[in-house]
């Protein structure tokens, strides 16, 4: 079996949302408390602007959705459609700012099989093709090991408070070598 990567469309939204909910609820065990997992839903999820911009990807294996993630030329660093306070739709300047890697999720059945790395590679290539020489992301505790293995370095630890529950995150950056 082999993985196929494609650009996500609006028709994929129900499947993407289902995968994200499963990944949030499953893959954060061992990294966050049950209360933090619930709270993290407020700061995680899909920003459908990524779909509209055609910068969001899906990985499938024989029709099964294995993972998803994307990149952005917009200033928003993280958060879904419901995270309106985190939105900054301004276009980034590739000469002075880093592109964003956004909304990375892997189906638990496909974890640690190269799906996340495949999406990261695609995001980095696409950002570089548009003139960006660096990418940044806001990593969850469960995502940080993948990002570190892919060459991202932590630049800032962040705690997002959701109804009094701390959700730890780490801002990470990678210089793109072309």
């Amino acid at each position: 079996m082999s993985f196929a990567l494609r650009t996500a469309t609006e028709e994929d939204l129900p499947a993407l949302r289902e995968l994200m909910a499963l990944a949030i609820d499953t893959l954060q065990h061992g990294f966050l408390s049950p209360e933090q997992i619930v709270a993290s839903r407020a700061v995680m999820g899909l920003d459908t602007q990524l779909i509209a911009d055609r910068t969001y990807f899906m990985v499938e294996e024989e029709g099964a959705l294995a993972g998803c993630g994307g990149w952005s030329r917009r200033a928003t660093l993280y958060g879904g459609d419901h995270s309106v306070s985190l939105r900054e739709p301004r276009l980034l300047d590739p000469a002075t700012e880093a592109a964003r890697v956004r909304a990375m999720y892997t189906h638990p059945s496909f974890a640690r099989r190269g799906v996340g790395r495949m999406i990261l590679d695609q995001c980095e290539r696409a950002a570089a093709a548009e003139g960006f020489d660096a990418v940044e992301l806001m990593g969850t505790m469960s995502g940080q090991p993948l990002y570190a293995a892919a060459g991202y370095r932590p630049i800032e630890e962040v705690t997002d408070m959701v109804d009094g529950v701390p959700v730890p995150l780490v801002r990470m950056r990678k210089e793109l070598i072309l």
Side-chain angles (χ1 to χ4, degrees):
M1 294 190 237
S2 64
F3 294 121
L5 185 140
R6 69 175 176 86
T7 302
T9 67
E10 288 76 5
E11 291 76 31
D12 297 312
L13 287 171
L16 293 169
R17 288 187 176 115
E18 183 178 324
L19 169 74
M20 290 175 188
L22 181 62
I24 290 168
D25 291 345
T26 305
L27 297 178
Q28 295 187 101
H29 287 281
F31 294 92
L32 299 178
S33 71
E35 296 79 20
Q36 289 173 309
I37 292 170
V38 170
S40 72
R41 294 179 195 148
V43 295
M44 298 175 78
L46 180 59
D47 176 350
T48 53
Q49 184 65 56
L50 299 169
I51 302 274
D53 288 345
R54 299 297 183 244
T55 59
Y56 201 71
F57 309 107
M58 300 172 54
V59 172
E60 298 169 308
E61 183 179 65
E62 295 186 359
L65 181 56
C68 54
W71 76 281
S72 184
R73 59 183 72 84
R74 298 179 187 275
T76 301
L77 183 60
Y78 70 105
D81 285 345
H82 58 283
S83 309
V84 291
S85 66
L86 300 172
R87 288 289 184 74
E88 190 179 346
R90 168 185 69 79
L91 291 174
L92 297 165
D93 178 0
T96 61
E97 297 176 290
R100 310 298 195 227
V101 170
R102 306 271 317 277
M104 297 279 299
Y105 297 93
T106 302
H107 190 287
S109 298
F110 291 93
R112 287 171 282 294
R113 291 183 47 199
V115 172
R117 188 58 183 253
M118 177 186 272
I119 295 167
L120 277 177
D121 289 346
Q122 177 65 24
C123 292
E124 292 166 9
R125 283 192 303 273
E130 290 202 22
F132 288 94
D133 60 8
V135 288
E136 290 186 5
L137 57 81
M138 188 63 81
T140 62
M141 296 300 99
S142 61
Q144 189 174 5
L146 165 67
Y147 305 133
Y152 288 76
R153 61 178 176 75
I155 56 174
E156 176 185 18
E157 292 183 8
V158 175
T159 300
D160 202 325
M161 295 298 289
V162 179
D163 296 328
V165 178
V167 178
L169 301 163
V170 62
R171 186 174 188 155
M172 302 180 83
R173 181 180 177 97
K174 180 179 181 177
E175 306 301 320
L176 299 176
I177 300 170
L178 308 175

